[in-house]
Amino acid sequence: MLTSRPTPSISPDVTEPPHRRLTRATISGPIKIVRTGKIATTHFSRLGVRAVISSDDRTVDNPAPAPALEISGTKVKAVVRIRRRMRENLVDKIEGQWRSFIDSTSQGILIQLISEQNDPVAKSGKKFYLVEIILHGLDGGPIYFKANSWIHSQNDNPESRIIFKNQACLPSQTPPGIKDLRREDLLSIRGNGKGERKLHERIYDYAPYNDLGNPDKDDLARPVLGGEERPYPRRCRTGRPPVKSDPECESRVEKPHPVYVPRDEAFEEIKQETMSAGTLKAVLHILIPQIAATLSSSDIPFNCFSDIDKLYDDGFTLKDEDQLEKAKKLFPDAFTKQVLSIGDRFKYEVPEVIKRDRFAWLHDSEFARQAVAGVNPVNIELVKEFPILSKLDPAVYGPPESAITKEVLEEELQGRMSIEEAIQNKRLFMIDYHDLILPFIDKINSLPERKAYASRTILLYTNTGVLRPIAIDLSLPPTSSSAGFKRVYTHGHDSTTHWLWRQAKAHVCAIDAVVHHQVNHLLRIHNCMEPYIIATHRQLSSMHPIYKMLHPHMCYTLQINAFARQSLINGGGIIEACYTLGKYAMEIGSAAYKSMWQFNKEALPADLMSRGMAVEDPSAPHGVKLVIEDYPYAADGLLIWSAINEWVKSYVGHFYSESNAVKLDVELQEWWKEIKNKGHPDKKNEPWWPKLNTKEDLTSILTTMIWVASGQHAAINFSQYPFGGYVLNRPTLMRKLIPQENEPEYEKFLMNPESSFLSALPTQLQATKVMAVQDIASTHSPDEEYLGQLHQLHGHWVNDPEVEEMLKRFSDRLKEIEEIIHQRNKDLTLKNRSAAGVPPYELLLPTSGPGLTGRGIPNSITI
């Protein structure tokens, strides 16, 4: 084996915009390749990279015209692509000049090609982001070694990095000489479960949610999530030392210091500079304190409806000019123009829900429409039996019967049909949070400025093809001095009943906001996805075809989840300050995980059928038929689901041609076992976990994961500001219970029902805090990678023309779906997406531009 230190010629790739500009190093020099197979080992100064080529690559007879490596009479050119930093400080520039000097003396880059049968030699060096290595001049065109990874110095990581070429390869197909390298690469990122992780490391491991609180500080102790008492998925382990007062709780890293995630999971600079890390930090660190200072006090309520409208029409002035200037620098131009749009005034864009109809929030039809086309369209279910009964222990929570009696419903049905006919004809639907919320009610109502009920809402599917709420059941648990409280509210026909009905709907919305954020969004999407990502890195080689398929759907999720633990869902964070459950917010997710979450029901068709919103229909394109045809989330979602399923099915069939190939794939089997046993250990013995024995099993599992990370997240996340940005439409908490006839507050309510209603809503500070975060959470980054697309940095992801054609068919199908959705939004018979004052349902349109668009399906959970 011969090696050499070639002289690289480095010049920027000027075809790229500045934030994606890459450095190409063209390397020439004599290297010998052993005929039995080749491993290309690339060393950057004191940085180690091993790039592995499989044994079927051969040299070509015709020399490449570009400067090349002389290999036994054949010329080969290697191009190394390195992404340059967007902002370089003086030290970076000096180091860059020094590296250029070193390169000019042929000491900078060493390419080493050695036999697959030999153990590779490792070296190491200076940190940089390696995009790819390209070898030109070999048979069949260039060979690409996709890295998209940070390479760190020998001081940080004494082991060299292994980079495989872009050929997908099952474990059983691995050439003998690189099997050990495949195994070594996996072992290098698993760690040993000990010690504190350092920011430069790439270690993926598991830990419970034991870093949300700080027991060493007053009122910031929070229980550990994960375990028999409070089951929860696992997060990425950081290994920080425990706090002094509780050895089970990990010490926290407070902003602005970063929380550890494996180095390649961190945001790229363009992401930091735009809509995710940088902007969200600006909201939390600068604008929210400024809002607080401007509003002077946390207990200022909205005194009249016009106070709320002023947030969009007039805005308000931020007081601290220095802080304002910092905010302008941190915020992207589009956001600055949108929010700080009148001089230095803080002004919000009018949310979509009231843009066409300022009074939409008042309408019962809009309240019901949002159950199928709003921010949380995944809880509505068919009423299958009557009476409605609780499953909670009656010895603790009182009689199980709902206060919604036969007489109540018959009065609302007005003789048009009996209850039995309504149930049989699938005309009654329900949003039921009673059993989930009731065990928390006493805790919530003991908090200052927090009041809540456990709620059930009954909706009628009318002859006109729309839903209408007809009854709301609000309950409080029994206490030592009372038998509990159950009361039904209906729309009624007088002013008093109307105002009470309005307050009842607001209480339902506040609980719905909690379930949306803590259960359907945070738990079922963000935190259940995290173990899949960790297991994929730990158990599937980067050569594995399933790793390659999942990789675009894993980007940035660990980073955004770590940031949420640090600044959003932590003790004393934004969610606790602005949502109903306060310091018990995370516990509701644990309760839902324990009683409700099942992997097999995360598949969209299975979820719809479990809620009675669809029935199995083998003749239907998606295998199910919707009970309500005009259910925009489900109708569009099934199109996306089916497209993902077809793409996954063809991809899996391509790589697993033998009937028993899935069962014999050792990496894949360990991956699935680890997801259950380490990622979701509190649920590992549940009988509903799918088997992984066949191609059909694998297709179903992967489709579910990709759907959750893409379509499901898009529908649940990017709708937050369009619907929640108007506090009257969707308050995130209520501060007062509804006045009762025997209470002093009732007289005040009768004298001024508007004031009574507004005084129960979030304060101005609480509302604007939530709006600021929802605005950013609903905003697309300029570098967003959408479903069916590949970022330029992920080009050459697999060397397989058939797979590339499959991806193209998937992308083409998504374009067809986009047009279908546009046509649906023009169909006047679909009143939930095309009616007077009703915004079109665009959340599941596959593509979007940057900004607050209310549309677009990113590949992964990036915000």
Side-chain angles (χ1 to χ4, degrees):
M1 179 185 68
L2 300 177
T3 64
S4 71
R5 296 184 180 275
T7 303
S9 171
I10 302 178
S11 59
D13 182 356
V14 294
T15 63
E16 299 278 7
H19 67 267
R20 290 184 183 166
R21 190 160 293 172
L22 307 171
T23 295
R24 296 175 181 267
T26 303
I27 308 161
S28 60
I31 294 181
K32 180 178 180 180
I33 296 180
V34 180
R35 277 188 161 186
T36 54
K38 301 158 287 289
I39 299 174
T41 305
T42 346
H43 298 292
F44 296 82
S45 184
R46 292 179 298 125
L47 276 134
V49 182
R50 284 179 279 172
V52 181
I53 311 176
S54 61
S55 59
D56 56 355
D57 300 315
R58 295 169 305 199
T59 58
V60 297
D61 295 330
N62 297 326
L69 304 172
E70 291 287 345
I71 306 178
S72 302
T74 300
K75 291 183 178 180
V76 178
K77 181 177 76 170
V79 177
V80 181
R81 303 179 75 211
I82 303 169
R83 192 182 67 208
R84 303 184 68 176
R85 294 184 60 183
M86 293 171 60
R87 297 179 179 177
E88 293 184 336
N89 56 33
L90 181 60
V91 174
D92 292 326
K93 293 177 180 178
I94 293 173
E95 287 183 351
Q97 295 297 322
W98 174 249
R99 287 197 300 271
S100 297
F101 171 75
I102 294 296
D103 290 340
S104 69
T105 60
S106 299
Q107 301 298 309
I109 299 178
L110 170 63
I111 292 286
Q112 190 174 40
L113 303 182
I114 61 180
S115 169
E116 285 177 347
Q117 280 69 39
N118 293 335
D119 291 330
V121 179
K123 303 222 175 189
S124 52
K126 164 79 183 163
K127 174 183 74 173
F128 62 88
Y129 188 89
L130 177 63
V131 176
E132 65 183 356
I133 301 169
I134 310 171
L135 293 183
H136 295 271
L138 298 176
D139 209 7
I143 296 177
Y144 295 89
F145 298 85
K146 294 303 299 182
N148 287 321
S149 179
W150 286 97
I151 311 297
H152 282 262
S153 71
Q154 187 175 29
N155 293 333
D156 291 336
N157 183 10
E159 300 297 325
S160 59
R161 287 285 304 282
I162 301 169
I163 309 295
F164 297 99
K165 76 165 190 173
N166 65 334
Q167 185 71 48
C169 180
L170 294 174
S172 60
Q173 301 165 342
T174 310
I178 60 173
K179 282 187 175 181
D180 288 345
L181 286 176
R182 182 172 182 146
R183 177 70 176 166
E184 179 187 335
D185 188 41
L186 281 174
L187 290 174
S188 70
I189 61 176
R190 291 181 189 169
N192 57 12
K194 300 178 181 179
E196 182 174 355
R197 298 271 64 90
K198 298 177 175 60
L199 293 177
H200 66 267
E201 293 179 328
R202 295 171 59 248
I203 302 300
Y204 295 80
D205 205 350
Y206 301 93
Y209 281 72
N210 62 351
D211 64 341
L212 299 175
N214 185 351
D216 292 345
K217 292 187 178 181
D218 293 341
D219 202 36
L220 289 182
R222 299 293 181 268
V224 174
L225 301 187
E228 185 176 354
E229 184 179 357
R230 294 182 179 87
Y232 208 70
R234 297 306 190 259
R235 63 172 175 89
C236 187
R237 180 182 178 275
T238 55
R240 297 188 298 272
V243 297
K244 295 177 181 179
S245 57
D246 188 346
E248 298 299 318
C249 290
E250 190 172 271
S251 56
R252 289 180 50 77
V253 174
E254 301 296 350
K255 54 197 178 192
H257 303 292
V259 176
Y260 168 81
V261 293
R263 185 63 184 91
D264 292 339
E265 302 296 327
F267 289 129
E268 294 180 14
E269 285 180 289
I270 181 61
K271 198 74 173 179
Q272 292 174 330
E273 294 292 324
T274 53
M275 295 301 183
S276 289
T279 303
L280 199 51
K281 285 179 181 176
V283 169
L284 296 174
H285 299 174
I286 296 177
L287 286 184
I288 285 177
Q290 281 301 296
I291 293 171
T294 298
L295 297 175
S296 303
S297 172
S298 62
D299 61 358
I300 298 177
F302 293 105
N303 293 314
C304 56
F305 292 131
S306 60
D307 282 350
I308 298 172
D309 292 336
K310 286 178 182 178
L311 295 174
Y312 315 97
D313 298 335
D314 300 332
F316 52 85
T317 303
L318 297 180
K319 295 180 178 179
D320 190 319
E321 294 184 3
D322 291 338
Q323 292 285 72
L324 180 60
E325 288 304 313
K326 289 180 182 178
K328 288 180 177 180
K329 291 178 181 178
L330 281 173
F331 276 80
D333 290 341
F335 185 81
T336 303
K337 291 176 182 177
Q338 172 185 304
V339 178
L340 303 175
S341 52
I342 306 178
D344 292 337
R345 298 182 72 81
F346 192 90
K347 179 185 175 185
Y348 286 97
E349 182 177 339
V350 177
E352 189 67 30
V353 69
I354 59 164
K355 193 173 286 185
R356 300 181 181 207
D357 181 354
R358 202 74 175 207
F359 302 102
W361 68 277
L362 279 169
H363 306 323
D364 284 354
S365 59
E366 179 61 21
F367 176 88
R369 188 189 76 86
Q370 290 180 31
V372 293
V375 66
N376 192 35
V378 296
N379 283 106
I380 185 172
E381 60 182 296
L382 182 70
V383 175
K384 300 177 182 178
E385 57 187 12
F386 195 86
I388 301 166
L389 300 175
S390 169
K391 296 179 182 178
L392 296 174
D393 184 355
V396 178
Y397 298 104
E401 293 83 9
S402 168
I404 300 176
T405 63
K406 182 178 181 180
E407 291 74 23
V408 169
L409 291 184
E410 285 178 342
E411 184 176 347
E412 293 302 314
L413 293 173
Q414 297 178 343
R416 290 187 292 267
M417 68 187 86
S418 68
I419 294 176
E420 291 76 18
E421 288 173 329
I423 292 175
Q424 183 179 357
N425 296 328
K426 298 179 178 172
R427 303 290 290 274
L428 290 180
F429 296 85
M430 176 170 60
I431 303 171
D432 187 0
Y433 298 138
H434 179 276
D435 286 7
L436 178 64
I437 297 296
L438 193 63
F440 290 89
I441 289 296
D442 284 342
K443 292 181 178 180
I444 296 169
N445 291 346
S446 68
L447 296 172
E449 297 287 298
R450 294 287 199 285
K451 293 293 181 265
Y453 300 94
S455 69
R456 290 189 184 98
T457 305
I458 301 296
L459 304 106
L460 173 68
Y461 186 62
T462 67
N463 293 330
T464 59
V466 296
L467 290 162
R468 179 169 64 86
I470 59 174
I472 294 174
D473 172 6
L474 299 180
S475 301
L476 299 174
T479 66
S480 58
S481 58
S482 70
F485 172 93
K486 291 183 180 181
R487 180 162 177 176
V488 176
Y489 293 87
T490 59
H491 187 279
H493 303 286
D494 62 87
S495 176
T496 299
T497 308
H498 283 331
W499 276 104
L500 292 173
W501 173 247
R502 196 166 294 163
Q503 290 206 35
K505 288 195 297 181
H507 272 279
V508 171
C509 287
I511 293 300
D512 190 75
V514 168
V515 175
H516 163 265
H517 192 275
Q518 296 302 111
V519 179
N520 297 328
H521 188 192
L522 183 65
L523 167 67
R524 294 176 59 190
I525 298 175
H526 282 256
N527 294 348
C528 281
M529 193 71 193
E530 184 151 343
Y532 311 153
I533 296 170
I534 297 170
T536 299
H537 283 283
R538 285 169 53 89
Q539 297 296 340
L540 299 183
S541 167
S542 59
M543 300 173 70
H544 201 291
I546 303 307
Y547 176 95
K548 290 181 178 292
M549 165 166 265
L550 288 177
H551 187 264
H553 306 289
M554 303 189 298
C555 292
Y556 301 144
T557 303
L558 297 191
Q559 173 73 85
I560 199 66
N561 287 359
F563 181 75
R565 296 200 313 275
Q566 185 182 45
S567 299
L568 291 176
I569 62 174
N570 59 301
I574 296 295
I575 301 306
E576 289 192 359
C578 300
Y579 282 76
T580 293
L581 265 74
K583 66 180 182 179
Y584 305 107
M586 289 300 293
E587 294 183 50
I588 195 75
S590 174
Y593 182 69
K594 182 178 184 178
S595 63
M596 298 164 52
W597 187 84
Q598 295 184 200
F599 179 88
N600 59 324
K601 290 185 180 179
E602 294 303 293
L604 179 59
D607 169 57
L608 293 170
M609 288 191 291
S610 72
R611 292 188 282 120
M613 301 305 295
V615 294
E616 191 170 1
D617 183 359
S619 66
H622 325 294
V624 297
K625 180 181 179 180
L626 292 176
V627 171
I628 297 177
E629 181 183 356
D630 189 13
Y631 185 176
Y633 158 77
D636 295 356
L638 285 171
L639 291 176
I640 301 297
W641 169 273
S642 297
I644 294 171
N645 185 254
E646 284 301 313
W647 151 237
V648 173
K649 181 179 178 181
S650 61
Y651 186 93
V652 167
H654 178 71
F655 287 101
Y656 293 93
S657 55
E658 302 297 328
S659 59
N660 63 344
V662 168
K663 200 170 185 178
L664 296 178
D665 186 334
V666 293
E667 287 184 4
L668 193 69
Q669 294 300 323
E670 288 300 313
W671 168 76
W672 188 233
K673 185 187 300 182
E674 181 166 300
I675 284 174
K676 294 181 288 185
N677 294 338
K678 292 189 175 182
H680 290 269
D682 305 324
K683 293 274 192 176
K684 65 182 179 182
N685 296 321
E686 297 288 352
W688 41 253
W689 283 104
K691 304 294 183 185
L692 182 52
N693 295 325
T694 66
K695 290 184 284 186
E696 291 74 21
D697 295 339
L698 180 57
T699 297
S700 176
I701 290 168
L702 294 175
T703 302
T704 298
M705 290 180 178
I706 294 171
W707 160 253
V708 169
S710 57
Q712 180 80 338
H713 183 252
I716 295 292
N717 179 75
F718 293 102
S719 53
Q720 289 186 82
Y721 187 79
F723 290 98
Y726 193 64
V727 67
L728 292 171
N729 181 68
R730 193 170 177 79
T732 57
L733 62 83
M734 295 295 282
R735 297 186 297 127
K736 293 182 179 181
L737 296 175
I738 299 174
Q740 303 301 310
E741 289 86 343
N742 58 347
E743 298 173 349
E745 283 293 317
Y746 194 74
E747 285 298 321
K748 296 179 181 178
F749 159 71
L750 292 176
M751 293 297 294
N752 192 337
E754 178 182 334
S755 176
S756 175
F757 177 69
L758 289 172
S759 68
L761 294 178
T763 64
Q764 293 190 38
L765 177 58
Q766 289 168 332
T768 49
K769 276 184 177 181
V770 170
M771 289 161 62
V773 175
Q774 287 180 337
D775 190 298
I776 299 304
S778 304
T779 299
H780 288 292
S781 169
D783 70 338
E784 201 83 83
E785 181 182 296
Y786 294 96
L787 193 63
Q789 301 177 354
L790 281 179
H791 192 291
Q792 185 171 3
L793 292 179
H794 299 149
H796 312 124
W797 66 293
V798 63
N799 181 25
D800 193 323
E802 289 187 51
V803 171
E804 291 174 355
E805 180 58 32
M806 293 174 198
L807 181 59
K808 184 180 183 302
R809 288 200 299 270
F810 177 46
S811 181
D812 290 344
R813 175 55 182 159
L814 291 173
K815 293 176 183 176
E816 294 173 1
I817 289 171
E818 189 151 327
E819 183 56 34
I820 292 171
I821 294 174
H822 282 309
Q823 292 304 314
R824 287 177 173 176
N825 286 332
K826 296 176 183 177
D827 187 345
L828 297 180
T829 66
L830 302 176
K831 297 182 177 62
N832 288 324
R833 61 201 309 160
S834 181
V838 171
Y841 189 79
E842 298 182 328
L843 289 163
L844 288 171
L845 286 171
T847 61
S848 173
L852 186 64
T853 64
R855 58 174 290 172
I857 305 175
N859 263 329
S860 61
I861 304 162
T862 63
I863 187 65

